[in-house]
């Protein structure tokens, strides 16, 4: 156990250094959601005049979903990096070391969690300080969003890990990326539930993404309310258990 | 401290008897087992099994016994063998027989080689021994331990350089080495000291802080080789260590390898370069299509061809010489096994070629034929390879020299 922690620490450190050496892999997941924020807040500006729209402006409404987009738009990165290791043979080099096989996976996943945490904090600061979206939960709320985003990011990233490890092909995993869009559009990310058709409401209620966004929205607009936060944690954990068990299964098969 | 212990033992491992007096606890059982298991593993690489205090001899003994539950064959005589392979077979999905019932061993301190074309089964055999690929049948023991029963033990003791240079291009040279060290359970400080040593040795000190992606081919090979030496393995597996290098880089790698072997490291290398096999290997197995077709010292293998070659060229000013006349003349000499004509050169295959030179010269000058040059050469490994496999190694090489990443993945998938 002690070894697993040490090994994971060094492998996570290596992954983080790697990320820092490709600055684009950090910049784009921040830049693109910001662009979305800019575009949607203008295009959908008048949505806020609709009856049943409770938030002050569309910008305020959309800000929490932008926090989530940061993680969804870069969710596959860590899985792709592992496939790169497979391709370069570096993965074999790790297998040749007298380390627990699980450390290889844990190293990558924990590095991913740290990256998402840092990116989320950065993003939240831009949104609140520079764009001026009101945040009732303050700095502790931002830290909490970082933690929730990491939790969800690891669970969501599991989908990409599973496909990547199952196919041993980065392109196959990349082809999974568009699932981000139905997950976002069939959630409360862009439109309040009250304004959606009934059949869409059913999907939105079953979509974990809605609960994550509602937790952030409640942090932004109301401050600390336990209900939405517990929902977000629960849904992330359920999703994580499913995706990470699949990942672990595929990983074990790969290294056996 | 750990680092020092390791360094001391590093030299001792060649002669197991020396290890005995230095064991901290004088328990006889554990001494015996230590000799089998390698004395440094307990001191240097604590694994999950020995989280309990190791001072108690009883617990030490039980740990050792647990780690080798049903391996009665790892007795002392086997300890001299670094690698012991019997009837080893590997069949990949789709009934591809990569390795077909091979037998060989590698002794302590030996420089052993596999010579064969790509696709001969060299890499598969090596990956089985390095715990990367599972065997289908037969036994394969490394340092006396079965590769399936305790792969972690083997991983701690060996260094394995893969055929494809397997580096993280975004890590610097030094980071690459330090990571290998800490993954072999050295402390960060030990790993850093060792990394500096190796960077110095491999003349990579100036490039230590650059990412490996910026390195030239020769530098990558060197840092890759250095990375398998960080934990001071006593047994090295090198899969085509000079593949794709220019002659100069190749020479410098050869030098490092010789030096390592002189320091007592056992080396098992695969190659498809005749020159490399000839120069480095004390014993050589020629492997083709998954089968070992010959195994001996390079000298003995070459002698098995049974002849030297005397090459003659003629003074062109005297006009063309009659090949048949010359053949008839030279055939009078005893022990001539074959005479071959190639362009302007005549090759005479014979025992003790040097002794035949005066006779050949006498016969030809007696007929007034002027000779431009005469030389005696010994058969090369090329001739040996041709004799045992019926084809040239080079033909194979050109056909399959491009390593297809998909093949690699497929091989991995088949584990």
């Amino acid at each position: 156990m002690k070894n697993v922690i040490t090994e994971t620490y060094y492998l996570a450190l290596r992954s983080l250094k790697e990320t820092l050496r490709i600055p684009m892999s950090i910049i784009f997941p921040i830049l693109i959601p910001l662009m979305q924020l800019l575009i949607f807040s203008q295009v959908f500006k008048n949505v806020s005049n609709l009856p049943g729209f409770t938030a002050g402006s569309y910008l305020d409404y959309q800000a929490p979903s932008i926090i989530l987009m940061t993680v969804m738009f870069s969710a596959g990165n860590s899985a792709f990096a592992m496939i790169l290791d497979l391709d370069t043979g570096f993965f074999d080099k790790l297998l040749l070391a007298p380390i627990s096989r699980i450390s290889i996976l844990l190293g990558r996943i924990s590095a991913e969690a740290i990256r998402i945490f840092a990116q989320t904090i950065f993003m939240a600061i831009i949104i609140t300080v520079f764009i001026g979206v009101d945040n009732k939960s303050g700095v502790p709320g931002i830290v909490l969003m970082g933690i929730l985003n990491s939790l969800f990011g690891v669970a969501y990233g599991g989908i990409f890990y599973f496909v990547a490890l199952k196919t041993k092909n980065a392109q196959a995993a990349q082809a999974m990326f568009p699932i981000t869009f139905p997950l976002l559009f069939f959630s409360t990310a862009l439109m309040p539930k009250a304004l959606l058709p009934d059949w869409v409401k059913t999907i939105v209620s079953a979509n974990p993404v809605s609960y994550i966004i509602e937790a952030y929205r409640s942090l932004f607009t109301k401050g600390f309310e336990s209900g939405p936060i517990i929902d977000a944690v629960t849904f992330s954990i359920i999703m994580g258990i499913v995706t990470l068990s699949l990942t672990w299964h595929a990983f074990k098969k790969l290294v056996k | 401290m750990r680092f020092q212990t390791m360094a001391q033992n590093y030299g001792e491992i060649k002669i197991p008897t020396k290890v005995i007096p230095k064991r901290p606890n004088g328990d006889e059982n554990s001494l015996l087992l230590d000799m089998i298991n390698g004395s440094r593993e307990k001191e240097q690489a604590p694994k999950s099994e020995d989280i309990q205090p190791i001072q108690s001899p009883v617990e030490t003994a039980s740990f050792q016994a647990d780690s080798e539950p049903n391996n009665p064959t790892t007795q002392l005589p086997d300890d001299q063998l670094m690698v012991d392979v019997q009837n080893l077979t590997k069949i990949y999905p789709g009934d591809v027989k990569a390795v077909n019932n091979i037998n060989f061993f590698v002794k302590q301190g030996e420089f052993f080689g596999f010579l064969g074309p790509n696709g001969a089964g060299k890499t598969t055999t090596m990956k089985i021994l390095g715990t990367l690929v599972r065997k289908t049948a037969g036994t394969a023991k490394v340092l006396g331990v079965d590769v399936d029963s305790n792969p972690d033990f083997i991983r701690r003791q060996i260094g394995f350089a893969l055929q494809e240079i397997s580096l993280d291009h975004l890590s610097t040279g030094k980071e690459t080495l330090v990571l290998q060290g800490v993954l072999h359970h050295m402390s960060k400080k030990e790993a850093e000291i060792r990394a500096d040593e190796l960077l110095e040795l491999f003349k990579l000190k100036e490039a230590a802080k650059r990412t490996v992606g910026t390195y030239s081919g020769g530098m990558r090979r060197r840092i890759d080789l250095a990375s398998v030496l960080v934990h001071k393995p006593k047994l090295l597996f090198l899969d085509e260590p000079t593949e794709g290098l220019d002659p100069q880089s190749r020479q410098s790698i050869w030098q490092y390898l010789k030096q390592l072997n002189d320091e007592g490291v056992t080396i098992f290398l695969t190659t498809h370069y005749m020159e490399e096999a000839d120069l480095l290997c004390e014993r050589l197995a020629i492997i083709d299509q998954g089968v070992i077709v010959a195994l001996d010292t390079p000298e003995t293998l070459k002698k098995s061809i049974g002849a030297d070659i005397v090459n003659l060229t003629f003074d062109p000013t005297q006009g063309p010489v009659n090949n048949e006349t010359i053949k008839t003349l030279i055939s009078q000499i005893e022990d001539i096994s074959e005479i071959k004509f190639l362009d302007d050169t005549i090759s005479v295959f014979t025992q003790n070629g040097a002794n035949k030179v005066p006779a050949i010269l006498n016969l030809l000058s007696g007929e007034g034929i002027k000779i431009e040059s005469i030389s005696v050469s010994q058969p090369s490994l090329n001739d040996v390879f041709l004799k045992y496999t019926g084809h040239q190694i080079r033909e194979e090489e050109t056909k399959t020299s491009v390593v297809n990443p998909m093949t690699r993945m497929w091989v991995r998938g088949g584990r």
Side-chain angles (χ1 to χ4, degrees):
Chain A
M1 191 58 203
K2 202 180 122 234
N3 280 338
V4 172
I5 293 169
T6 325
E7 291 155 11
T8 302
Y9 166 74
Y10 283 116
L11 289 170
L13 207 64
R14 177 230 160 197
S15 300
L16 283 172
K17 275 185 193 161
E18 190 180 76
T19 308
L20 288 173
R21 280 173 195 157
I22 324 172
M24 288 302 162
S25 72
I26 313 171
I27 294 169
F28 276 120
I30 292 171
L31 216 57
I32 291 172
L34 278 176
M35 234 165 64
Q36 298 264 4
L37 184 67
L38 185 79
I39 295 168
F40 286 158
S41 66
Q42 295 309 305
V43 171
F44 295 126
K45 199 168 187 174
N46 293 333
V47 170
S48 60
N49 300 332
L50 287 173
F53 192 90
T54 45
S57 73
Y58 193 77
L59 182 76
D60 287 344
Y61 182 79
Q62 212 208 340
S65 10
I66 296 303
I67 298 279
L68 188 72
M69 277 184 204
T70 326
V71 49
M72 288 185 93
F73 283 3
S74 59
N77 286 6
S78 155
F80 305 151
M82 190 177 264
I83 297 301
L84 193 70
D85 280 350
L86 275 172
D87 286 345
T88 58
F90 189 77
F91 194 82
D92 273 344
K93 204 162 204 158
L94 295 179
L95 292 182
L96 281 165
I99 55 173
S100 297
R101 314 285 94 166
I102 197 170
S103 305
I104 301 173
L105 195 58
L106 286 180
R108 281 246 170 246
I109 289 176
S110 41
E112 182 73 347
I114 293 166
R115 179 186 64 81
I116 295 169
F117 181 79
Q119 267 178 357
T120 307
I121 302 289
F122 187 74
M123 193 69 170
I125 290 171
I126 293 181
I127 290 175
T128 51
V129 179
F130 294 100
I131 300 181
V133 174
D134 190 32
N135 174 23
K136 289 259 183 353
S137 60
V139 176
I142 290 180
V143 173
L144 185 60
M145 277 186 245
I147 294 168
L148 291 177
N149 235 9
S150 296
L151 193 66
F152 174 77
V154 167
Y156 185 60
I159 299 173
F160 294 88
Y161 264 111
F162 172 66
V163 178
L165 293 173
K166 200 82 189 164
T167 58
K168 293 167 215 149
N169 186 324
Q171 275 155 316
Q174 247 153 352
M176 291 291 294
F177 176 73
I179 62 159
T180 299
F181 296 108
L183 280 173
L184 271 177
F185 293 149
F186 282 130
S187 76
T188 53
L190 301 170
M191 197 61 87
K193 209 165 157 185
L195 296 177
L196 296 168
D198 283 345
W199 71 273
V200 179
K201 270 183 202 160
T202 321
I203 301 176
V204 167
S205 307
N207 183 356
V209 169
S210 303
Y211 296 91
I212 316 295
I213 287 172
E214 287 312 312
Y216 298 165
R217 188 160 285 145
S218 125
L219 283 168
F220 267 105
T221 56
K222 293 178 186 150
F224 290 94
E225 270 194 349
S226 58
I229 294 166
I230 290 169
D231 282 353
V233 172
T234 314
F235 272 91
S236 291
I237 287 177
I238 293 171
M239 190 173 175
I241 288 172
V242 174
T243 62
L244 293 180
S245 340
L246 287 170
T247 298
W248 176 234
H249 180 78
F251 183 80
K252 261 200 322 209
K253 225 175 145 184
L254 185 76
V255 300
K256 250 275 159 268
Chain B
M1 270 320 285
R2 244 199 241 158
F3 183 62
Q4 281 172 6
T5 319
M6 193 165 71
Q8 284 162 10
N9 282 334
Y10 194 53
E12 284 164 16
I13 277 149
K14 278 175 82 176
I15 312 148
T17 44
K18 266 196 188 171
V19 179
I20 294 173
K22 293 213 172 175
R23 277 298 297 169
N25 64 57
D27 184 85
E28 289 230 353
N29 280 328
S30 86
L31 282 177
L32 195 70
L33 283 157
D34 274 349
M35 288 164 69
I36 297 161
N37 292 336
S39 67
R40 44 183 204 143
E41 77 147 311
K42 283 199 64 59
E43 296 151 30
Q44 167 230 339
K47 292 300 292 175
S48 49
E49 295 98 315
D50 62 359
I51 284 169
Q52 314 107 310
I54 58 164
Q55 290 88 339
S56 154
V58 181
E59 276 175 17
T60 309
S62 78
F63 154 67
Q64 295 282 14
D66 284 350
S67 71
E68 288 296 323
N70 30 14
N71 224 336
T73 46
T74 47
Q75 290 307 307
L76 276 177
D78 272 15
D79 193 46
Q80 285 303 113
L81 292 183
M82 300 300 264
V83 174
D84 187 6
V85 167
Q86 277 162 29
N87 307 318
L88 183 70
T89 298
K90 174 68 189 180
I91 302 169
Y92 283 117
D95 215 22
V96 182
K97 222 172 210 178
V99 176
N100 190 357
N101 201 22
I102 62 169
N103 293 279
F104 70 95
F105 59 84
V106 181
K107 288 179 286 191
Q108 248 167 12
E110 199 171 24
F111 208 132
F112 182 82
F114 256 16
L115 175 70
N118 285 320
K122 305 190 298 287
T123 299
T124 301
T125 306
M126 205 170 246
K127 281 191 170 172
I128 291 171
L129 296 172
T131 74
L132 276 179
V133 169
R134 279 185 185 272
K135 62 182 194 272
T136 309
T139 59
K141 281 190 220 161
V142 175
L143 302 140
V145 172
D146 187 275
V147 286
D148 289 339
S149 74
N150 197 350
D152 239 32
F153 169 78
I154 295 171
R155 286 174 196 138
R156 263 173 277 158
Q157 310 287 329
I158 64 164
F160 194 122
L162 294 152
Q163 185 177 348
E164 309 85 26
I165 305 173
S166 44
L167 296 165
D168 173 10
H169 286 194
L170 291 166
S171 288
T172 67
K174 185 161 178 181
E175 283 167 358
T176 302
L177 301 185
V178 172
L179 182 67
Q180 281 302 315
V182 294
L183 291 183
H184 279 88
H185 305 109
M186 293 163 85
S187 78
K188 188 155 185 251
K189 188 140 196 221
E190 289 160 3
E192 275 173 348
I193 293 168
R194 178 70 177 149
D196 287 334
E197 253 174 54
L198 287 167
L199 288 163
E200 177 95 51
L201 176 70
F202 283 89
K203 302 195 174 68
L204 288 165
K205 221 174 155 191
E206 277 75 43
K209 285 182 181 163
R210 270 163 49 200
T211 55
V212 171
T214 66
Y215 283 20
S216 70
M219 289 164 83
R220 283 182 200 186
R221 220 14 126 178
R222 293 204 311 268
I223 195 79
D224 195 51
L225 188 57
S227 77
V228 305
L229 298 173
V230 179
H231 59 294
K232 300 202 170 184
K234 49 182 167 180
L235 171 61
L236 271 188
F237 290 97
L238 307 170
D239 197 359
E240 311 218 356
T242 63
E243 171 70 16
L245 289 187
D246 59 82
Q248 213 178 352
S249 308
R250 181 165 295 157
Q251 294 248 338
S252 79
I253 297 280
W254 287 345
Q255 232 167 25
Y256 294 128
L257 296 184
K258 274 192 159 167
Q259 195 182 329
L260 280 168
N261 186 239
D262 288 345
E263 285 163 14
V265 180
T266 310
I267 301 181
F268 175 12
L269 149 154
T270 74
T271 183
H272 57 186
Y273 295 117
M274 300 288 174
E275 196 192 352
E276 186 164 285
D278 205 359
L279 187 80
L280 295 174
C281 298
E282 293 164 54
R283 280 191 315 132
L284 195 62
I286 293 182
I287 180 165
D288 190 40
Q289 293 171 13
V291 181
I292 293 180
V293 290
L295 197 164
D296 218 315
T297 63
E299 287 68 37
T300 317
L301 286 172
K302 283 183 281 187
K303 273 190 193 138
S304 72
I305 294 283
D308 290 340
I309 303 154
V310 182
N311 294 303
L312 294 157
T313 60
F314 300 97
D315 190 344
T317 55
Q318 64 191 335
V321 291
N322 186 329
N323 285 349
E324 283 311 308
T325 317
I326 290 167
K327 196 169 184 173
T328 328
L329 276 173
I330 297 179
S331 301
Q332 296 168 12
I333 306 169
E334 276 181 12
D335 277 344
I336 303 286
S337 50
E338 210 176 341
I339 301 168
K340 278 186 176 171
F341 300 91
L342 189 76
D343 299 331
D344 296 336
T345 309
I346 293 174
S347 299
V348 182
F349 289 75
T350 175
Q351 304 281 351
N352 301 318
N355 295 340
K356 303 293 188 318
V357 171
I360 294 172
L361 289 176
N362 278 336
L363 273 170
L364 293 176
S365 59
E367 291 294 316
I369 298 168
K370 289 180 198 154
I371 291 165
E372 188 180 56
S373 75
I374 184 162
S375 65
V376 182
S377 65
Q378 276 163 358
S380 69
L381 281 177
N382 243 326
D383 304 308
V384 177
F385 192 84
L386 185 66
K387 176 181 167 178
Y388 286 104
T389 67
H391 58 88
Q392 295 270 0
I393 199 168
R394 298 280 170 209
E395 297 164 16
E396 298 292 313
E397 191 185 311
T398 47
K399 264 188 268 172
T400 52
S401 64
V402 179
V403 180
N404 182 345
M406 281 317 289
T407 316
R408 239 166 64 215
M409 290 218 201
W410 168 75
V411 167
R412 189 180 293 115
R415 297 173 65 220

